[in-house]
Each structure stands twice: as C-alpha cells, then as structure tokens.
Amino acid sequence: GQQVMQIPQYQHVQEGEDFTTYCNSSTTLSNIQWYKQRPGGHPVFLIQLVKSGEVKKQKRLTFQFGEAKKNSSLHITATQTTDVGTYFCAPNTDKLIFGTGTRLQVFP
Amino acid sequence: DAGVIQSPRHEVTEMGQEVTLRCKPISGHDYLFWYRQTMMRGLELLIYFNNNVPIDDSGMPEDRFSAKMPNASFSTLKIQPSEPRDSAVYFCASSLHRLQGYTFGSGTRLTVV
C-alpha cells in the first residue's frame, strides 16, 4: 500500500532558526496534503499540493511538491515557539494516509 | 460552525467492556473518517463513509470493531469487547470532498485497563 517516510523524525531548533521536513514516497503521488498537530491536539489541515513542482507559501511556511511528484517538503523560516508540534504529510489517493511525521521542538 | 464534534473526550474502561465513540461531522460534509493514533503505529485510517455508506473498512483491526453512520450528522465507532491494546486516541474527521482537506475532531482518548 501507499507509504510515505518523513525525515527527520525529530528536530530541535533555537527560536529564529529555519526548519525543513521532507516527505518521500516510492510511488508517484497524485497530490499531497500537509497537517500540523500541536501536542495534545488534533491534526489541522495546512495545505494541499497537486501540480508537479508546485510551490505554495503561507506566511513563514513554504510547501513544495517535487517535479516527479514523489517527494514534498515543508520549510519554516525563522521558527517561533508557536510552531511547536508534529508536521505530517499525507498523500490522498482515494483516502488520506498519513506519513510518520516530524516532531518540531523550538527552544526560546 | 462548531466543527467536528466527538464524545466523550476521555474514556477509561475495563477490559471486556463495550466502548462506543461518537462523532458529529460538519454539516454538509459528505465524507466521514475514523482514525486511530498511537505512538507505535502513528495515525491509522480505520474506515470511511461517503453519504453515510461505508466505503473502505480495510483498516478496521478485527471483528471487535464496528462503525455505523445512521444519518448524515452522526457516526459511531464501537469496540466490543475492548482490550488494553485498543488504548489510543481515536479521531473522527470529515470533508466536503474526498480529495479536499479534512477537518478533525478533538479526539477521544481511550484507555482500556
């Protein structure tokens, strides 16, 4: 079945530093969604990428979909303590399958 | 809109007891999903419905688990009998279309002792 791996599994950064998480698939994806889950919270939809090479920005967050549509990344510029949480990529074919997630910790 | 509403927020039960988790999706959303989250297995899709009809239940662990959606505004996930390994956070989510973003409820934290 569809599987995606995310790296790194954990990332600790100092506030103000940048952060990137990568999502890799062995198969071509039709689209991919990104979610954020705060500690003790529920996943919250961030964005969906559909086109090859697509780049979308939300304030300090930049999302990319690879040219081959087998990988995706989320980059956060100048992290803040409010960015703490686990970030999941999730390909959506006929159903949403979540990746392993990257847990981000930001130290003030 | 109040979002996706799940109840109860927390449930502690003894092994062998029946557990029923409840979900009210966002009005107008045609798709409803049940997920389970554990440290070991991450977020797993258990089952999803389209227009109240179960479409894919391949993620349901075993016969002890059952899910129903009697109408567009209500779904249940039942575990009978419950076992300690069922302890997890169970999320319900809904979406307007299958390929759009999902809105998750706050989850039910189930502990089976």
Side-chain angles (χ1 to χ4, degrees), chain B residues 30-73:
Chain B
D30 291 335
Y31 288 85
L32 183 140
F33 309 85
W34 282 100
Y35 282 84
R36 176 172 69 174
Q37 186 173 36
T38 60
M39 288 294 294
M40 293 298 296
R41 302 175 67 89
L43 271 161
E44 304 174 275
L45 177 64
L46 301 177
I47 185 171
Y48 80 90
F49 295 82
N50 175 216
N51 291 323
N52 315 335
V53 177
I55 302 300
D56 186 340
D57 65 354
S58 59
M60 295 286 263
E62 48 200 271
D63 292 345
R64 296 185 299 106
F65 285 68
S66 63
K68 294 182 179 179
M69 192 165 185
N71 57 64
S73 59

Side-chain angles (χ1 to χ4, degrees), chain A residues 35 37 48 92-93 95-96, chain B residues 35 37 56 98-99 102 105:
Chain A
Y35 289 76
Q37 184 176 23
Q48 176 167 274
N92 192 339
T93 51
K95 52 193 177 185
L96 201 64
Chain B
Y35 282 84
Q37 186 173 36
D56 186 340
R98 179 172 51 79
L99 295 180
Y102 296 6

Side-chain angles (χ1 to χ4, degrees), chain A residues 9-92:
Chain A
Q9 190 175 4
Y10 301 99
Q11 183 83 59
H12 298 170
V13 300
Q14 202 75 32
E15 189 173 22
E17 292 181 338
D18 292 355
F19 159 77
T20 304
T21 173
Y22 301 90
C23 180
N24 299 302
S25 170
S26 57
T27 59
T28 302
L29 306 172
S30 57
N31 64 69
I32 194 160
Q33 297 180 5
W34 284 90
Y35 289 76
K36 175 184 178 181
Q37 184 176 23
R38 294 181 185 272
H42 57 276
V44 175
F45 173 70
L46 296 177
I47 209 158
Q48 176 167 274
L49 305 172
V50 178
K51 300 177 182 177
S52 168
E54 189 170 15
V55 178
K56 287 188 177 180
K57 292 189 176 184
Q58 290 180 351
K59 298 182 180 179
R60 296 180 293 104
L61 278 59
T62 302
F63 303 84
Q64 291 189 316
F65 203 6
E67 293 289 343
K69 300 182 75 173
K70 287 186 175 182
N71 55 72
S72 181
S73 65
L74 159 59
H75 179 82
I76 302 178
T77 304
T79 55
Q80 299 175 359
T81 54
T82 53
D83 296 325
V84 166
T86 301
Y87 293 85
F88 293 96
C89 65
N92 192 339

Side-chain angles (χ1 to χ4, degrees), chain B residues 4 7-8 19 22-23 25 40-41 44 54 59 62 73 78 92 113:
Chain B
V4 176
S7 64
V19 176
R22 297 172 175 79
C23 175
M40 293 298 296
R41 302 175 67 89
E44 304 174 275
E62 48 200 271
S73 59
K78 186 175 294 186
C92 175
V113 298

